[in-house]
Structures are given as structure tokens and as C-alpha cells.
Amino acid sequence: DGGITQSPKYLFRKEGQNVTLSCEQNLNHDAMYWYRQDPGQGLRLIYYSQIVNDFQKGDIAEGYSVSREKKESFPLTVTSAQKNPTAFYLCASSTGQGQETQYFGPGTRLLVL
Amino acid sequence: GDSVTQMEGPVTLSEEAFLTINCTYTATGYPSLFWYVQYPGEGLQLLLKATKADDKGSNKGFEATYRKETTSFHLEKGSVQVSDSAVYFCALKTTPGNKLTFGGGTRVLVKP
């Protein structure tokens, strides 16, 4: 089945630690996105990538980093510079052409110890 | 910049009641409009979409019409079920670029 997978489902971060969230898609999509969702709020865009080896900052990129070395993969690192990382993180992908739909993964919940 | 405003929840209904969730937007250009649904602990699923004025998106008994004159995309369902309990997000996307702008979400609770 085609789709987007995110791992782990839950992730715990200690003070001063960097953690990496995985996002993989087998939809052959060019574009991939990372969103952050806080309780009772909408989604905010962290980073997006429209093609391999290229990515752009979204609205709240500070304290996060990404890479896009393969078309299928778009990992997100939450660095120690992100002072309030507790949130639900959602990865999405799309064909990258015109008014296309974004498809979402199941999400990773990050909690700080 | 682009923005989406949704009615605040939670919205609590009885089974078989009529559901309306209001959504209005501000955007430059001609956006595509979307409704996504999020069930507890899960990611978002596309519910329906409309890409131009007067288009009606529909899926699973839900409908929404793209109203350019009122910049609105209200979601409706004639008879809700307990399984419709979820958070509903209105979103828009303009070109160029592929960024989605989301509303704050509306939680719907349907009681038997």
C-alpha cells in the first residue's frame, strides 16, 4: 500500500538533546512538508522541500533542521535550540504540481522529560 | 498574508443532527480550499476540496461550496453519526508555492 510512515509514534527528549523524527513516503511525491500541531491549535509549517537536495523554511523553522537526500525521506531534527518542543509533528507529501492535495502521515508526539 | 478563520468548538451534537462548521478565508489570488479531518491520535485525512469559485466538494455525506463573494467554505452534513466525532480543519493553498494555511480546527463531538 502506498502511503506515508512516521516513526516513532512517541518520542521523549531530554534537556539539551537533539532528536530526529523520521518521515518516509512511497507515493513517488516530489514535495514533502513538516508541520507542528499544538493542543487545540491548527498546524504550522516548519520546513518544506519541493525537490531532492532542496528545502525552504516555513513559518516556524527556528530550532529545527531537515535534510532531503532521497526523494522518499525527509527527516526532521529537533535541536536543543528549540525551547518548547512538546507538540504533535505531522509530515505530509504531495506531487508538487499545481493545486494538488497534501497527504499526511500518522504523526509523532514529542514529549520533553 | 493568507489566513483561515474557523468557528471555535467544541461543537456537541446528538446523532442524526445537522452539522455546520463555518470557515472564512483571506487570500491573495485564487486559492484552492480544503477540509481535513483528524481522528483522535491520528494524522490528517483529506475530507473534500474545491479548486475554483462555486465548486462543491463532497465526500462521506459532507459538503462544502466555494463561495468567492463571501470568501467562505462552510462544511455541512445532514445527519451526523458518532463516528464523525473528530477535529475538522479548513485550509487554503495559493499558487505559486504549495504551502497550506490552516484554520485553528473545530472539535466535533457526536453523542448517541
Side-chain angles (χ1 to χ4, degrees):
Chain A
D1 285 339
I4 303 173
T5 56
Q6 291 186 242
S7 62
K9 187 170 184 178
Y10 296 94
L11 185 59
F12 297 91
R13 192 190 94 163
K14 295 180 181 178
E15 286 276 347
Q17 186 181 40
N18 292 356
V19 293
T20 298
L21 285 61
S22 169
C23 177
E24 304 278 333
Q25 55 97 1
N26 61 3
L27 300 168
N28 199 33
H29 284 170
D30 285 316
M32 297 186 74
Y33 312 83
W34 274 106
Y35 293 90
R36 170 179 171 142
Q37 184 181 21
D38 292 285
Q41 297 186 30
L43 281 70
R44 293 180 291 170
L45 183 65
I46 305 172
Y47 268 98
Y48 64 104
S49 168
Q50 295 183 288
I51 198 167
V52 174
N53 292 322
D54 188 41
F55 49 83
Q56 287 81 40
K57 293 182 179 180
D59 300 319
I60 56 164
E62 186 174 351
Y64 300 97
S65 66
V66 294
S67 62
R68 186 83 188 279
E69 297 176 1
K70 298 188 299 182
K71 187 175 186 178
E72 304 80 20
S73 179
F74 191 41
L76 173 73
T77 296
V78 183
T79 74
S80 58
Q82 174 48 246
K83 298 306 179 188
N84 185 23
T86 298
F88 192 47
Y89 290 87
L90 288 158
C91 179
S93 71
S94 68
T95 59
Q97 299 168 12
Q99 299 286 356
E100 79 288 0
T101 299
Q102 289 185 18
Y103 295 91
F104 284 78
T108 292
R109 189 165 299 280
L110 176 61
L111 300 166
V112 177
L113 295 176
Chain B
D2 298 342
S3 67
V4 177
T5 303
Q6 289 181 237
M7 58 188 291
E8 288 193 22
V11 175
T12 304
L13 303 164
S14 298
E15 222 169 7
E16 298 184 3
F18 185 87
L19 170 68
T20 299
I21 304 176
N22 290 340
C23 171
T24 56
Y25 67 89
T26 302
T28 53
Y30 302 95
S32 288
L33 301 173
F34 304 81
W35 277 102
Y36 282 86
V37 59
Q38 184 178 34
Y39 298 102
E42 298 183 9
L44 274 66
Q45 301 175 23
L46 178 68
L47 184 58
L48 54 84
K49 70 177 184 180
T51 58
K52 61 182 187 295
D54 300 324
D55 268 2
K56 177 185 282 188
S58 61
N59 186 27
K60 299 181 181 179
F62 290 89
E63 292 184 341
T65 301
Y66 188 144
R67 300 286 188 201
K68 189 178 176 196
E69 63 276 12
T70 55
T71 61
S72 64
F73 193 53
H74 305 323
L75 182 68
E76 297 181 337
K77 186 174 185 182
S79 177
V80 293
Q81 305 300 312
V82 173
S83 58
D84 293 323
S85 298
V87 180
Y88 293 83
F89 291 94
C90 185
L92 68 80
K93 185 153 64 71
T94 56
T95 54
N98 298 310
K99 294 169 54 177
L100 275 173
T101 300
F102 285 87
T106 302
R107 182 175 299 278
V108 173
L109 177 60
V110 181
K111 295 185 175 181

